[in-house]
Amino acid sequence: MFHRSLSNPAVRILIPFISLFLIFGTFILFGWTKIDPTDYDPDDIIRQEERDILFISNVVNEKSPIEKPFGLAVDSKGAIYTGSSDGNIYKIKTDGQTELFAKTSGRVLGIVFDGKENLVACVSGLGLAFYDPKGNENVLLREDSEGNPLINLYGLDIGSDGTVYFTEVSRKFSYEDSYLEELESRPNGRILSYDPRTQEVKTVLEDLYHPTGISLSSSEDFLVFGEKYRHRVSRFWLKGKKEGKDQFLITHLPGSPALISSDSQRNFWIALSSPRHIAIDKIQNFPILKRGIAALPFFFKPIEGELAYILSMNEEGDISLSLMDNTSDKLGSITSALQYGSGILLAGFSTQKVWKWKFETLEMFF
């Protein structure tokens, strides 16, 4: 009987479809509770009068072992440091030569030098760590005050008193599963502080939507932070009459904020590393559909696009520069922008390169 059924052309056509249905049905059944999605209305994109001249950038590390550079920091002698996806931190000397600075116990994201020439880093999978001038790793923090592991750290900045402010993008999903955060649309992230003198850990601000980059103001009375899956940058007051309050500074961004740095001119430099997921924006009001997508195997996850886009914002929240590489795509995704001499250093996450864009480029075109 079974063999007779197989001889029927219609049955032979249906079997593969039924098999696929059963396979996907099994994945959805067991992954149905992977996220607890809610619905929300994404904001519309508001353009910032972008200038498409970022492609006129020079490579800093022509030949080097750096893979997917992320954060950027510069020491007192002008050498550039960046984390690599191979788990190492590399040093690019002023002559352009690259050398291994430190081997880490995770994936280095945000990095900042403290006042003692130690490189402090958010290390995904590990916690908060610092690397002395010889590249020796010392773990500052693995857990919060309640014993919860801090393995999803992203960006940081350090106050003049040594206090480290840093972001935890999610208390639920890993760095690799961050797309689930966008589908769930719930505030699983927070900002914390660490005082190395007392070793005290505090929660500064919680219920954030995948907080990424963070930077202190020049007077350290407030900090600025990005939320990747709300496509916005906000301010949180640490001192003064507004202490404990937060406010949106830039919303309706065309991409996802990555790391944020500040310069000597009281400006913040904000990198947007990926364009918005237009398809996901369209399904944010359909929690059941989002739950089904999250339940599918990992290789069906939404792929982030590439975006080379940086913003310069003053401490009042006004945009002074909006630059992008939309013409050539040679810079790939930019995860970090840091003022350096007469220009801006850029970490090209998908090009294996660190770039420098010079301010004189503006004079060439405008």
Side-chain angles (χ1 to χ4, degrees), residues 129-146:
F130 82 87
Y131 302 84
D132 64 24
K134 294 184 179 180
N136 298 311
E137 183 179 73
N138 298 273
V139 180
L140 290 171
L141 204 59
R142 293 180 185 270
E143 301 176 339
D144 64 13
S145 58
E146 298 176 351

Side-chain angles (χ1 to χ4, degrees), residues 51 161 181 196 205 259-260 263 267 281 302 306-307 318 321 361:
R51 299 179 180 183
D161 63 353
E181 195 82 47
L205 185 62
L259 292 173
I260 302 174
D263 63 21
N267 295 311
D281 279 356
E306 296 183 356
L307 183 63
D318 300 318
L321 276 178
T361 306

Side-chain angles (χ1 to χ4, degrees), residues 88-208:
N88 297 324
I89 300 174
Y90 289 95
K91 175 181 179 180
I92 306 172
K93 297 188 289 186
T94 53
D95 62 1
Q97 296 297 310
T98 302
E99 63 181 34
L100 176 66
F101 170 68
K103 294 185 177 181
T104 79
S105 301
R107 173 42 160 136
V108 174
L109 300 180
I111 53 176
V112 175
F113 274 103
D114 66 10
K116 300 178 181 178
E117 289 295 304
N118 296 310
L119 187 64
V120 185
C122 289
V123 185
S124 181
L126 177 66
L128 195 65
F130 82 87
Y131 302 84
D132 64 24
K134 294 184 179 180
N136 298 311
E137 183 179 73
N138 298 273
V139 180
L140 290 171
L141 204 59
R142 293 180 185 270
E143 301 176 339
D144 64 13
S145 58
E146 298 176 351
N148 300 306
L150 296 171
I151 58 175
N152 292 322
L153 306 187
Y154 193 102
L156 76 160
D157 202 0
I158 303 175
S160 56
D161 63 353
T163 300
V164 183
Y165 296 89
F166 58 97
T167 59
E168 182 181 23
V169 291
S170 178
R171 303 180 69 178
K172 184 172 182 179
F173 302 110
S174 68
Y175 174 74
E176 293 76 14
D177 289 338
S178 61
Y179 73 100
L180 296 176
E181 195 82 47
E182 184 173 19
L183 289 170
E184 183 165 280
S185 306
R186 292 187 183 275
N188 296 314
R190 55 180 174 165
I191 296 172
L192 301 99
S193 67
Y194 171 72
D195 188 337
R197 298 165 299 181
T198 62
Q199 298 187 349
E200 184 179 15
V201 186
K202 294 181 179 179
T203 298
V204 176
L205 185 62
E206 53 188 350
D207 295 332
L208 299 178

Side-chain angles (χ1 to χ4, degrees), residues 305-320:
E306 296 183 356
L307 183 63
Y309 193 124
I310 62 173
L311 294 166
S312 175
M313 178 186 73
N314 64 25
E315 294 193 349
E316 285 68 49
D318 300 318
I319 300 297
S320 55

Side-chain angles (χ1 to χ4, degrees), residues 178-342:
S178 61
Y179 73 100
L180 296 176
E181 195 82 47
E182 184 173 19
L183 289 170
E184 183 165 280
S185 306
R186 292 187 183 275
N188 296 314
R190 55 180 174 165
I191 296 172
L192 301 99
S193 67
Y194 171 72
D195 188 337
R197 298 165 299 181
T198 62
Q199 298 187 349
E200 184 179 15
V201 186
K202 294 181 179 179
T203 298
V204 176
L205 185 62
E206 53 188 350
D207 295 332
L208 299 178
Y209 294 88
H210 209 84
T212 49
I214 187 172
S215 185
L216 285 162
S217 65
S218 58
S219 57
E220 300 183 11
D221 55 344
F222 67 86
L223 52 82
V224 165
F225 63 93
E227 289 176 281
K228 181 175 182 177
Y229 296 131
R230 281 297 188 268
H231 316 104
R232 67 191 180 203
V233 175
S234 303
R235 165 167 46 198
F236 178 76
W237 293 93
L238 298 169
K239 303 174 185 177
K241 296 180 181 179
K242 298 180 180 179
E243 180 179 351
K245 296 183 179 180
D246 61 313
Q247 66 177 122
F248 302 150
L249 290 177
I250 315 173
T251 59
H252 302 261
L253 287 170
S256 300
L259 292 173
I260 302 174
S261 66
S262 58
D263 63 21
S264 58
Q265 304 300 313
R266 301 176 62 180
N267 295 311
F268 297 102
W269 289 94
I270 305 159
L272 304 186
S273 62
S274 58
R276 292 173 60 154
H277 263 304
I278 302 301
I280 292 182
D281 279 356
K282 291 184 179 298
I283 65 169
Q284 287 291 6
N285 281 314
F286 303 94
I288 293 179
L289 180 56
K290 293 195 292 182
R291 191 186 289 270
I293 293 173
L296 293 175
F298 183 78
F299 47 82
F300 283 99
K301 75 172 186 176
I303 302 298
E304 286 191 350
E306 296 183 356
L307 183 63
Y309 193 124
I310 62 173
L311 294 166
S312 175
M313 178 186 73
N314 64 25
E315 294 193 349
E316 285 68 49
D318 300 318
I319 300 297
S320 55
L321 276 178
S322 178
L323 309 173
M324 66 184 304
D325 173 17
N326 191 48
T327 301
S328 70
D329 294 330
K330 80 173 187 178
L331 272 68
S333 291
I334 298 299
T335 56
S336 180
L338 180 70
Q339 185 178 358
Y340 180 78
S342 61

